Amino acid sequence: MERERWTSRMAFVMAAIGSAVGLGNVWRFPFVAYQNGGGAFLIPYLVALFTAGIPLMVLEYGLGKMMQAGAPTAFAKVKDKLEWVGWWAILVGFTIVIYYAVVMAWCWGYLYHSLFLSWKGRAEDFFYKDFLGLSDGPGKLGGLRLPVVVGLVLTWASIVWIVQHGVRRVGRVVMVTVPLPVILLAIFVLRGATLPGAMEGLKFYLTPDFSKLAEPRTWLAAYGQIFFSLSLAFGIMIAYASYLHERADVNNNAFITALANCGTSYFAGFAVFTVLGYMAHVVGKPVAEVVSGGPGLAFVTYPTAISLLPTVPAVFGFIFFLTLLSLGIDSAFSLVEAAVTAVHDRWPISRRKATWLLSGIAFLGGLLFTTKGGLYWLDIVDHFANNYGLVGVGLAESLIVGYVLGAERFREHVNTDSEVKLGRWWDFCIKFLTPAILGILMVWSLAREFGSPYSGYPGWALLVGGWGVILLQINLGVALMSRRAFLRASLPASASLVAFAVLLKFLPPMWIMFIVASAVLYGGLAWSLSRARRGYEGM
Ligand code: PHE
């Protein structure tokens, strides 16, 4: 059967930009930039963009186009045994869309509340208490929040409506959902710039603090932000590129997508900081005391600032949440599309059925995050998916293409039909630089993880929502590739890892050394003896 195609190059590029441009551009980038040297952050950020972001995007586009398949099948075509890496990517992405859709559900709720500015004067209490009904901890789920469930239904209904009809419909929808948030952001930039205090806000965002460049964490923040922001390592760009024609451009499309995304982030910073500057001006506090990132910015700080606007605050509130929804929707359906493509490529199931099935599962899974304790779980899963899932898959991708497929061969392939030719620097990035940075990022996060539990959550919650989810994703990925590999390799490996962790936790150091030494020495001896061939003499 003929593979589906994008209706035009523009449709493909817009869809990829839509996936990359998401909530993170508004609530993550400006805050990360502010924390890491303001204007000076652009230096590590741009370096990260050109040495890791664009090279990895070329890799994903190239792989998808070359293999004409979603991530699992594409990796299987590189080497049979590598199919699980593709599934792993898909499963990490699938985990993300489960809670990403819940964040969008909050946006639906706030779209409604913004009409009445329901949070007036007490945005923080309104969000955590009235709206989420937040419980005391992850151990208390305490029932579903009906308004959030309604939002979740709306989100999934839109996703299914778009994805089930294939990339042709995706291509049409993104012609609206990509420009719309940019236009809406422009409204905020214009409104913000004309308010008193705006310049103060911008000073915080843009004044360079070059001393931060000497801190390794600034560089890691830049690389982390680039990977997350470009939607890499979830099999999305592989899936999208698999619907490109075999002779399509790769490199230039990667440049366009990446630059458009980062340009939007930079632009969003103006919308955020001018308005925060105004708010600081009105309440008479320094800007540093009102800034925040993440959900706190979107659902507490910015709404507060909006309700202080001199004219028609409700209209601006409505526009703001419409901006978030239109930012989020194309990121959300790109994650679903990656999974649908993977399933549809692998099994004889129609795209429609695959969409309904996967969306149904994700909706049910998402209900966990709509409970009163949901925010805690969302935070935990998000932390682990980004710090380990994303980084792990990115590492595997660059090593596989760099060494198994061969960076040089791959580069020649993508160069053939591309408008911009890549030089040897790309090989260097994929083979050495990107894996090295991702490796450091991973070790760094691990060190922090063991130093203190993430955000002070109880250990059991981190085990279930963090480590447990990671192990589950990898094992399920291997199981989807082959049951045999799961039973013979990944299950025993995970079981020993768990056993080892339990030992580490409960045994005194002397016993640990005793067990490790005995296992290596005597276990190793037993293993080599068992492999020795019997009955030949004199050799
Ligand atoms: N890139 C999106 C953002 O910046 C988030 C995202 C991550 C979307 C992963 C899809 C997959 O918000």
Side-chain angles (χ1 to χ4, degrees), residues 3 63-71 73-74 77 238-239 242 341 345:
R3 193 169 184 80
L63 202 62
K65 183 192 86 144
M66 187 177 187
M67 305 305 183
Q68 295 283 306
T73 309
K77 284 186 180 173
I238 300 179
S242 75
T341 298
D345 280 348

Side-chain angles (χ1 to χ4, degrees), residues 429-491:
C429 291
I430 287 300
K431 283 171 83 163
F432 306 108
L433 194 69
T434 307
I437 302 263
L438 288 170
I440 296 174
L441 270 175
M442 170 107 58
V443 172
W444 190 61
S445 320
L446 279 172
R448 245 187 348 182
E449 216 71 66
F450 290 121
S452 62
Y454 172 62
S455 254
Y457 288 113
W460 66 268
L462 295 177
L463 274 181
V464 175
W467 304 116
V469 170
I470 295 183
L471 272 186
L472 188 73
Q473 286 165 341
I474 297 181
N475 280 294
L476 193 58
V478 176
L480 284 168
M481 171 176 83
S482 98
R483 257 220 318 268
R484 230 173 81 121
F486 168 68
L487 291 174
R488 296 182 115 204
S490 78
L491 187 64

Side-chain angles (χ1 to χ4, degrees), residues 19-25 96 100 225 228-232 234 236 261 331-332 334-335 386:
S19 170
V21 175
L23 300 171
N25 296 58
I96 290 185
Y100 206 80
Q225 173 60 19
F228 176 79
S229 188
L230 294 179
S231 299
L232 296 169
F234 305 107
I236 297 174
N261 171 65
S331 298
S334 71
L335 287 162
N386 285 314

Side-chain angles (χ1 to χ4, degrees), residues 152-167:
L152 196 62
V153 171
L154 289 174
T155 305
W156 280 107
S158 344
I159 294 177
V160 168
W161 178 75
I162 295 161
V163 174
Q164 67 170 340
H165 292 290
V167 293

